[in-house]
Amino acid sequence: MKKPASLIDVARRAKVNISTVSRTINQTGKIGSETQARVLKAMRELGYKPNRVARRLRTQEGSSHLLGLIIPNIQNSFFADLARGVEDVAYKNNFALLLCNYDEDEAKERFYLDVLQSESVDGIILPPIHENDPAVLQVVRNGIPVVCVDRSLSSGNLDKVEVDNHTGALKAVEHIIAQGHKRIGLIGGPADSSTGRERLRGYKDAHTQAGLPIKAELIRFGDFKQESGQTLAHELLSLADPPTALFACNGLMTAGALEAIAARGLKIPKQVGIVGFDELPLSSVFNPPLTVVRQPAYEVGKYAAELLLKRIEDAKRPATSLKLMPELIIRKSC
């Protein structure tokens, strides 16, 4: 049996965004007559039939009772806990949650932003892929409420919920220095993300306050994925004068760094110390237990969802910015 055509099929045939197809069907927004004709032609050719029941439910009382959440990596336990916080608030308020995973990929992020708009979500929560994210700003211009989590935009007066990344990194590196380490390798996040930049600033400030020089060869920038943590740890530990400790700036990169340390046969903390930003599953039962900066991930999601519901109710209220404090959990890896 032939699969019915979808909204995505129509968009691809007409060579337009999914949101353009949705606006054509619902007769909302300004769309050129030529574009509308192309969309309608694609619908006829593919035999696409809009779901009238779904459209009626979405437009009833001006609300779809749907929220969208776009996260960069569902394998990252921070975002899994954040998603739970969002979902709990959504469910308590009679909203359903559509969850999308963009893998730090700009094209994927744009795709899911289009999908969520086509589904007429009432609002979207996401960490922008970088500080100047035109796709997110366009969604805001389209009139859809947006709350940023974990990362922020350099432009756009939006609600946001973040962790104090600078303080978390500062405390972590201060702890490493207090253990006697003077050459500390940084496995950092993307330099164009607010999260990556603030954790780098904390690393540098801890050095400055301790009177230690900041050495460029000890600083590496990754992409918040496990593979980059492994690669960058190998690079740092291969230096002629390698660091005696590593600070990895998220959970997945910490896991990659641990793989590299194990592959080189090094003992933690005797031969190399390590501290991670993010609690990993089973961190406390590692051998040795892992020292980490624990983020209040569930609370970030909870507060973000509450802010989004307030924004949906009152689009003109002033933007709110929340910054939550992380906690340094000292164990035995450094």
Side-chain angles (χ1 to χ4, degrees):
M1 184 177 177
K2 187 178 178 182
K3 185 179 178 181
S6 68
L7 208 66
I8 296 172
D9 296 327
V10 175
R12 287 173 176 164
R13 174 67 68 92
K15 297 181 180 179
V16 297
N17 292 332
I18 296 172
S19 57
T20 300
V21 178
S22 180
R23 291 199 302 273
T24 299
I25 294 169
N26 294 302
Q27 292 295 294
T28 58
K30 294 182 179 180
I31 304 171
S33 57
E34 184 181 336
T35 302
Q36 285 195 54
R38 197 161 71 246
V39 171
L40 294 171
K41 182 173 182 285
M43 290 169 60
R44 287 194 302 272
E45 290 174 347
L46 293 170
Y48 175 76
K49 302 295 183 186
N51 188 327
R52 302 294 174 182
V53 174
R55 285 177 60 199
R56 186 169 63 253
L57 289 172
R58 291 189 189 108
T59 56
Q60 185 178 3
E61 299 178 357
S63 175
S64 65
H65 282 274
L66 287 174
L67 302 182
L69 173 62
I70 309 179
I71 58 175
N73 196 332
I74 193 64
Q75 291 178 308
N76 187 330
S77 59
F78 170 80
F79 289 112
D81 290 342
L82 184 154
R84 181 59 188 267
V86 174
E87 193 275 336
D88 280 353
V89 172
Y91 181 75
K92 287 177 183 177
N93 288 275
N94 199 32
F95 279 77
L97 183 68
L98 300 181
L99 175 63
C100 308
N101 182 80
Y102 70 76
D103 288 321
E104 304 286 0
D105 182 315
E106 286 190 58
K108 238 179 147 179
E109 183 200 48
R110 289 195 302 271
F111 172 78
Y112 283 127
L113 285 170
D114 277 348
V115 169
L116 292 178
Q117 289 177 92
S118 74
E119 291 297 325
S120 302
V121 295
D122 291 316
I124 297 173
I125 297 170
L126 85 167
I129 198 164
H130 52 72
E131 288 184 299
N132 298 296
D133 195 325
V136 176
L137 292 173
Q138 182 58 54
V139 171
V140 175
R141 286 192 290 270
N142 290 346
I144 298 175
V146 171
V147 175
C148 294
V149 289
D150 185 52
R151 310 171 193 175
S152 59
L153 290 170
S154 58
S155 58
N157 189 26
L158 302 179
D159 295 311
K160 61 182 177 180
V161 184
E162 301 172 289
V163 170
D164 191 332
N165 291 290
H166 171 263
T167 297
L170 178 70
K171 287 182 177 180
V173 179
E174 284 178 340
H175 170 71
I176 297 172
I177 292 170
Q179 307 313 303
H181 296 281
K182 296 182 179 180
R183 285 183 62 79
I184 303 164
L186 176 75
I187 300 174
D192 63 353
S193 72
S194 59
T195 303
R197 188 186 66 249
E198 286 299 294
R199 293 176 190 175
L200 171 63
R201 187 165 70 89
Y203 168 91
K204 288 183 174 180
D205 285 352
H207 280 72
T208 300
Q209 292 173 19
L212 293 176
I214 299 166
K215 297 186 178 295
E217 72 269 18
L218 296 179
I219 297 174
R220 297 287 191 278
F221 296 103
D223 60 6
F224 287 140
K225 294 182 181 179
Q226 188 164 334
E227 294 79 5
S228 72
Q230 184 178 25
T231 298
L232 298 180
H234 275 303
E235 288 180 10
L236 288 165
L237 296 172
S238 296
L239 293 172
D241 186 8
T244 60
L246 300 175
F247 174 47
C249 284
N250 90 325
L252 291 177
M253 292 196 300
T254 302
L258 289 170
E259 288 180 337
I261 291 169
R264 301 174 82 90
L266 298 175
K267 300 297 182 184
I268 301 172
K270 185 176 181 181
Q271 293 172 292
V272 63
I274 183 169
V275 172
F277 204 114
D278 276 346
E279 183 79 280
L280 289 174
L282 304 179
S283 289
S284 62
V285 297
F286 284 0
N287 187 21
L290 187 64
T291 295
V292 298
V293 177
R294 178 186 291 162
Q295 300 192 77
Y298 179 89
E299 288 75 14
V300 171
K302 173 179 176 290
Y303 291 136
E306 289 173 349
L307 283 180
L308 185 58
L309 293 178
K310 289 178 181 177
R311 174 65 55 195
I312 292 167
E313 186 176 335
D314 180 6
K316 295 182 179 180
R317 70 173 183 79
T320 299
S321 178
L322 299 179
K323 186 168 286 190
L324 308 184
M325 191 61 63
E327 179 184 7
L328 178 65
I329 307 299
I330 298 174
R331 297 189 180 112
K332 297 181 179 180
S333 63
C334 188

